[in-house]
């Protein structure tokens, strides 16, 4: 497939032009014009680039690409090596950030709902923070065990002054801990996200809601894999996901 056509079909699928993001979405670095082999991953780190080379990739598609608004514009050290690897091998680097969190079927948040049996009711006014209802209400401990079963990782669970059963829940993949207070206004029993900050513990305790932190990486592996499966099925492309271990 032509590299710009690939960008276009994904942009259309993920409705990329609808969102203001803090990073450019789409084909960030142009490589060879015909894409045959695609590697997907969460972050375009050096380990993923090296694995993509071993797999003779023409394209890499990630959730966390380059050129973030708050990032230094100097190309030094680590960034120089990454760009050198990509440019010298004519690899196309594609990245979709918020569109891949938000998409109602393929997105990270939709995938969290699917794994944890949550019926999605909508968002809390922020398009990448969802809320919904557990199909079978459960206690905090039962829900933590369910997370462990589905994500292969026991979450950090704050549960002080909390209701016994979780029914209404809000969630946000990645770094969503700062939205806990806005989500609370939706009458939730629990909030789930990737990361936790020091103050999140106190906020959750004082609001009296369960808080679950699964790790940023763990909550953002499924969106990119769903996108890869969709590309495989719809366009018969050769796509492999590579998981670069990250405990955070
Ligand atoms: Zn992220």
């Amino acid at each position: 497939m032509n590299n710009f056509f690939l960008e276009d079909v994904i942009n259309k699928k993920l409705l990329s032009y609808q969102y203001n993001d803090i990073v450019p979405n789409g084909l960030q670095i142009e490589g060879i014009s015909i894409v045959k082999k695609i590697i997907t991953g969460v972050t375009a780190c050096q380990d993923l680039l090296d694995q993509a080379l071993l797999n003779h990739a023409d394209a890499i598609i990630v959730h966390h690409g380059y050129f973030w608004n708050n990032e230094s514009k100097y190309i030094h050290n680590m960034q120089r090596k990454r760009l050198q690897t990509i440019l010298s091998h004519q690899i196309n680097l594609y990245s979709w950030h918020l569109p891949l969190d938000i998409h109602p079927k393929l997105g990270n948040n939709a995938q969290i709902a699917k794994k944890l049996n949550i019926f999605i009711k909508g968002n809390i006014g922020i398009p990448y923070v969802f809320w919904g209802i557990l199909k079978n209400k459960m206690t905090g401990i039962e829900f933590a065990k369910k997370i462990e079963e589905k994500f292969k990782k026991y979450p950090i669970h704050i549960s002080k002054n909390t209701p016994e059963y979780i029914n209404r829940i809000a969630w946000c993949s990645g770094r969503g801990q700062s939205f806990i207070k806005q989500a609370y206004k939706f009458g939730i029993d629990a909030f789930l996200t990737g990361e936790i900050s020091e103050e999140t513990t106190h906020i959750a305790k004082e609001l009296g809601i369960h808080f679950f932190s699964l790790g940023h990486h763990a909550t953002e592996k499924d969106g990119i894999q769903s996108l890869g499966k969709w590309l495989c099925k719809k366009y018969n492309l050769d796509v492999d996901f590579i998981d670069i271990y990250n405990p955070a």
Side-chain angles (χ1 to χ4, degrees):
M1 181 182 282
N2 172 271
N3 53 351
F4 283 98
F5 183 69
L6 176 60
E7 179 190 35
D8 195 45
V9 297
I10 300 176
N11 271 334
K12 284 184 179 136
K13 181 68 181 172
L14 297 181
L15 307 171
S16 294
Y17 303 115
Q18 289 190 5
Y19 308 111
N20 275 331
D21 211 331
I22 52 170
V23 62
N25 291 302
L27 178 56
Q28 293 192 329
I29 301 175
E30 181 189 352
I32 196 165
S33 61
I34 298 297
V35 172
K36 290 180 187 150
K37 176 76 195 177
I38 301 171
I39 291 297
T40 60
V42 177
T43 300
C45 60
Q46 188 65 44
D47 281 344
L48 184 73
L49 305 184
D50 293 342
Q51 289 289 323
L53 286 186
L54 290 174
N55 283 275
H56 309 289
D58 308 303
I60 298 172
I61 308 177
V62 292
H63 182 51
H64 299 140
Y66 302 153
F67 317 120
W68 299 81
N69 284 359
N70 57 359
E71 201 178 37
S72 163
K73 300 292 183 280
Y74 293 100
I75 309 292
H76 290 176
N77 306 313
M78 177 189 104
Q79 202 61 16
R80 172 173 176 255
K81 194 177 171 206
R82 288 176 172 186
L83 292 182
Q84 196 163 37
T85 305
I86 291 169
L87 292 169
S88 65
H89 292 89
Q90 295 199 74
I91 293 172
N92 292 280
L93 179 71
Y94 299 84
S95 171
W96 279 273
H97 180 237
L98 289 182
L100 197 53
D101 289 319
I102 297 169
H103 192 274
K105 285 219 167 71
L106 303 180
N108 287 319
N109 287 310
Q111 293 297 315
I112 290 169
K114 195 173 163 193
K115 272 188 163 168
L116 297 176
N117 254 339
I118 306 168
F119 179 71
I120 301 170
K121 296 288 277 185
N123 67 51
I124 66 158
I126 299 162
Y128 45 90
V129 186
F130 286 25
W131 79 274
I133 291 173
L134 286 195
K135 287 178 186 164
N136 304 305
K137 68 172 185 177
M138 51 181 89
T139 67
I141 304 275
E142 285 167 348
F143 193 61
K145 284 184 179 155
K146 173 118 186 144
I147 291 169
E148 184 182 31
E149 179 201 324
K150 297 290 179 182
F151 290 84
K152 311 291 172 227
K153 191 175 180 185
Y154 198 85
I156 295 173
H157 177 199
I158 309 297
S159 59
K160 183 102 185 202
N161 314 318
T162 47
E164 188 181 358
Y165 286 98
I166 299 171
N167 184 26
R168 290 164 70 98
I169 181 167
W171 68 101
C172 175
S173 64
R175 189 182 294 142
Q177 66 270 49
S178 62
F179 302 112
I180 186 171
K181 285 194 248 177
Q182 277 157 278
Y184 175 74
K185 293 177 187 155
F186 278 70
I188 52 167
D189 310 305
F191 187 75
L192 178 155
T193 187
E195 296 189 15
I196 179 168
S197 302
E198 191 273 345
E199 71 264 25
T200 321
T201 305
H202 307 297
I203 296 169
K205 274 161 72 175
E206 289 168 42
L207 293 178
I209 57 174
H210 294 269
F211 175 80
F212 299 92
S213 159
L214 283 64
H216 193 131
H217 181 81
T219 57
E220 296 191 338
K221 286 200 305 194
D222 293 304
I224 193 75
Q225 289 186 81
S226 311
L227 178 66
K229 282 178 197 156
W230 176 77
L231 285 171
C232 241
K233 206 171 156 192
K234 173 120 188 175
Y235 295 99
N236 200 24
L237 287 164
D238 181 359
V239 188
D240 279 321
F241 171 74
I242 294 181
D243 189 15
I244 304 297
Y245 173 73
N246 187 342

